[in-house]
Amino acid sequence: EAGVAQSPRYKIIEKRQSVAFWCNPISGHATLYWYQQILGQGPKLLIQFQNNGVVDDSQLPKDRFSAERLKGVDSTLKIQPAKLEDSAVYLCASSLDPHSMNTEAFFGQGTRLTVV
Amino acid sequence: LAKTTQPISMDSYEGQEVNITCSHNNIATNDYITWYQQFPSQGPRFIIQGYKTKVTNEVASLFIPADRKSSTLSLPRVSLSDTAVYYCLVGERLTGGGNKLTFGTGTQLKVEL
């Protein structure tokens, strides 16, 4: 079974530039998560989708971050404009059944963003 | 939202059993307890999930007392490859469906020869 695919793996941009990350979850998974992981910290949830609807975006900095999930499958996360403190690994994860108590999510390898 | 507290780091030797305890005093009735493992430069990986008493799989055991205010992840006979960060999570059911998975700072386990 194919895992969660993310691209690019690495990205270096200058502050105030824009950047976008792409995620392709495991086929059939209804829930999609985007996390931000700063070096030395645990992953921080930015946004959670159920199919193509947002169920939680309470920690998404909406003045600069946006995300969408087209047709309930692929998702993109965008930062515009980027700040130095956005340097982090951006992780995408998916899980199968939103009606289940199963808390198993599958993570991609992440995109490492460096803002200079 | 139930906050979790776990040790920042632990050291062990190959072949030993490692127990990592997590406290979650404000756990809600419908919340499940989940543990993830993360290696450097990789995304977290699900280890085990439980609601009460004891759960065991091929990788670990999870012990949850009756009051559910804490849980202990047990790794039998660790090896060097178990060196990783271990996260304890309490899954929060969302109104719109699905479980919100909130990670804390985790426990860095270092296994030596």
Side-chain angles (χ1 to χ4, degrees):
Chain A
E1 178 182 85
V4 175
Q6 291 189 246
S7 67
R9 286 295 314 278
Y10 305 92
K11 190 75 176 179
I12 301 175
I13 62 172
E14 295 182 348
K15 59 184 179 183
R16 292 187 289 273
Q17 284 188 323
S18 304
V19 64
F21 312 125
W22 174 82
C23 173
N24 180 230
I26 294 173
S27 177
H29 280 199
T31 304
L32 186 146
Y33 310 82
W34 280 104
Y35 286 87
Q36 177 194 59
Q37 186 169 25
I38 293 172
L39 187 64
Q41 300 181 17
K44 170 188 167 184
L45 180 66
L46 293 176
I47 190 167
Q48 180 172 342
F49 292 93
Q50 211 77 275
N51 297 306
N52 59 352
V54 176
V55 292
D56 190 286
D57 63 357
S58 56
Q59 297 194 93
L60 186 72
K62 298 179 184 64
D63 57 334
R64 298 184 301 106
F65 286 64
S66 64
E68 61 180 3
R69 188 179 184 193
L70 301 173
K71 300 179 181 178
V73 182
D74 292 5
S75 178
T76 55
L77 175 70
K78 297 179 182 177
I79 308 175
Q80 180 180 10
K83 293 184 176 181
L84 295 176
E85 64 253 34
D86 298 331
S87 294
V89 175
Y90 291 84
L91 294 161
C92 179
S94 68
S95 62
L96 180 59
D97 183 1
H99 305 294
S100 164
M101 294 306 297
N102 188 330
T103 52
E104 181 172 9
F106 297 83
F107 282 78
Q109 288 203 295
T111 296
R112 182 177 297 277
L113 173 68
T114 302
V115 182
V116 297
Chain B
L1 175 64
K3 179 178 174 170
T4 59
T5 303
Q6 53 186 120
I8 293 174
S9 64
M10 294 183 70
D11 294 328
S12 184
Y13 294 96
E14 276 203 317
Q16 290 191 329
E17 178 184 78
V18 170
N19 296 307
I20 307 174
T21 297
C22 176
S23 66
H24 26 78
N25 292 318
N26 297 322
I27 189 168
T29 303
N30 294 330
D31 291 344
Y32 273 66
I33 299 151
T34 311
W35 286 79
Y36 279 77
Q37 174 193 55
Q38 187 176 27
F39 297 111
S41 301
Q42 293 187 24
R45 182 176 73 111
F46 174 90
I47 301 174
I48 198 166
Q49 169 190 326
Y51 184 78
K52 61 180 179 180
T53 64
K54 177 183 174 182
V55 179
T56 297
N57 62 22
E58 64 278 6
V59 176
S61 294
L62 179 59
F63 298 92
I64 305 168
D67 66 7
R68 305 198 330 119
K69 293 183 184 298
S70 67
S71 59
T72 299
L73 175 73
S74 181
L75 304 171
R77 296 182 300 281
V78 295
S79 64
L80 293 175
S81 62
D82 293 315
T83 294
V85 178
Y86 292 81
Y87 294 97
C88 165
L89 287 75
V90 172
E92 175 191 356
R93 293 292 291 172
L94 295 175
T95 304
N99 301 289
K100 181 175 180 178
L101 305 178
T102 301
F103 288 79
T105 52
T107 297
Q108 171 67 63
L109 172 65
K110 182 178 178 183
V111 180
E112 299 176 288
L113 286 171

